[in-house]
Amino acid sequence: MKLRGILAPYFAVAIRFIFLLVIYALLRWGFYLLNASFFHYVNNAKLVVMFGGGLRFDIVALLYLNILYIVIQTVPGPFIANPTYQRISKWIFVLVNSLGIALNLIDYAYYPFTLKRTTGTVLSQFSNESNLFKLAFDFCLDYWYLLLVFALFVYGLSKSYRLIQLEKPKSYSWKSFFVQLPFFLLTAFLFIGGVRGGWAHSTRPITLSNAGDYVDTPEEMNIVHNTPFSILKTLKAVSLKPVHYY
């Protein structure tokens, strides 16, 4: 599909973002299916509510992960349709979203042991490990099927990106710039509302606890969450250290 016109980059970003939301919905479905034995009282009606609520958390995580990509694809300028610029943008898009997919898939395996989504404390937990390579290798051996799923998702990301191409405009003028500028500002407005969970002055930034609005029990919040969101929102968590007075 070739998108034409000076507003083509904004449509391309919107289409790709919707595609990412579909991927995260599939990842949530897979997470539930593999760990359904831990959610005894979840029925189809509850799942619909959880998936609807999970959309808010997916939007936040994807906006944070794709902030660089969104900026370089929506900033007004004649360079956006340049082939080299688009190749760089593509690899930024594929790499950051591959990371998000990988983090979600890791919890497919670890949730039965931790009974929670991975959080930012994982960085401190593994900071003193001297055999990280061996741990990663063993994980890949034990959960080889997750590597296959990961490869399929990454292939889908790359393939879907190539399906949407921007046609380079024949000319670019100050008029083009001033047409794009309001859409860039609109993108910034939507971004701020998206990461906060709303635009109302009283709206507080969305946190892990907001998942409680869509569930009946605390453990069900793990279905609503996604792992990148869980990590991003707990990176500043302070681990308490023992204090010795004597």
Side-chain angles (χ1 to χ4, degrees):
M1 181 197 318
K2 272 213 169 186
L3 299 178
R4 299 177 176 85
I6 57 175
L7 298 182
Y10 303 93
F11 291 116
V13 169
I15 293 170
R16 287 171 180 142
F17 195 82
I18 292 171
F19 179 70
L20 290 173
L21 289 175
V22 172
I23 288 179
Y24 270 52
L26 292 174
L27 288 168
R28 178 172 288 106
W29 180 247
F31 174 82
Y32 168 72
L33 288 179
L34 282 183
N35 297 290
S37 59
F38 297 98
F39 307 109
H40 302 290
Y41 302 106
V42 175
N43 53 37
N44 290 336
K46 283 186 176 181
L47 273 180
V48 171
V49 174
M50 292 177 190
F51 271 64
L55 184 63
R56 293 181 63 199
F57 296 84
D58 294 345
I59 289 173
V60 174
L62 288 170
L63 286 175
Y64 276 125
L65 285 173
N66 290 278
I67 183 170
L68 175 60
Y69 173 76
I70 292 171
V71 169
I72 65 177
Q73 284 294 290
T74 59
V75 62
F79 44 80
I80 293 180
N82 178 277
T84 301
Y85 191 85
Q86 279 302 309
R87 279 196 294 272
I88 295 172
S89 299
K90 173 192 172 181
W91 286 113
I92 291 173
F93 177 85
V94 172
L95 287 173
V96 297
N97 288 297
S98 295
L99 174 62
I101 290 169
L103 292 174
N104 277 301
L105 290 175
I106 285 172
D107 270 348
Y108 280 32
Y110 280 158
Y111 183 79
F113 303 102
T114 63
L115 298 181
K116 66 175 184 177
R117 290 277 189 171
T118 299
T119 64
T121 58
V122 70
L123 299 178
S124 60
Q125 290 170 359
F126 286 97
S127 61
N128 297 319
E129 285 287 346
S130 58
N131 59 341
L132 283 176
F133 180 79
K134 183 179 184 304
L135 289 174
F137 183 74
D138 290 342
F139 178 88
C140 293
L141 285 181
D142 293 338
Y143 301 100
W144 57 268
Y145 54 91
L146 292 181
L147 284 179
L148 294 180
V149 175
F150 175 71
L152 287 174
F153 274 118
V154 173
Y155 174 78
L157 280 176
S158 180
K159 187 73 173 177
S160 69
Y161 201 97
R162 292 198 299 267
L163 291 177
I164 304 172
Q165 300 290 331
L166 300 182
E167 185 176 282
K168 191 173 183 179
K170 296 179 180 178
S171 62
Y172 190 91
S173 63
W174 282 107
K175 180 181 177 181
S176 304
F177 175 84
F178 285 114
V179 170
Q180 287 182 329
L181 184 59
F183 285 87
F184 176 68
L185 296 176
L186 175 62
T187 301
F189 175 76
L190 293 174
F191 181 93
I192 293 170
V195 296
R196 284 179 56 84
W199 290 271
H201 185 268
S202 59
T203 301
R204 301 173 71 89
I206 187 171
T207 64
L208 294 170
S209 62
N210 290 111
D213 297 338
Y214 308 100
V215 302
D216 295 328
T217 61
E219 61 268 17
E220 292 172 358
M221 293 168 66
N222 293 297
I223 300 176
V224 180
H225 294 152
N226 62 72
T227 306
F229 179 92
S230 179
I231 292 175
L232 287 168
K233 287 295 182 177
T234 54
L235 280 177
K236 293 183 180 180
V238 179
S239 49
L240 300 178
K241 298 180 179 179
V243 177
H244 302 287
Y245 295 99
Y246 303 101

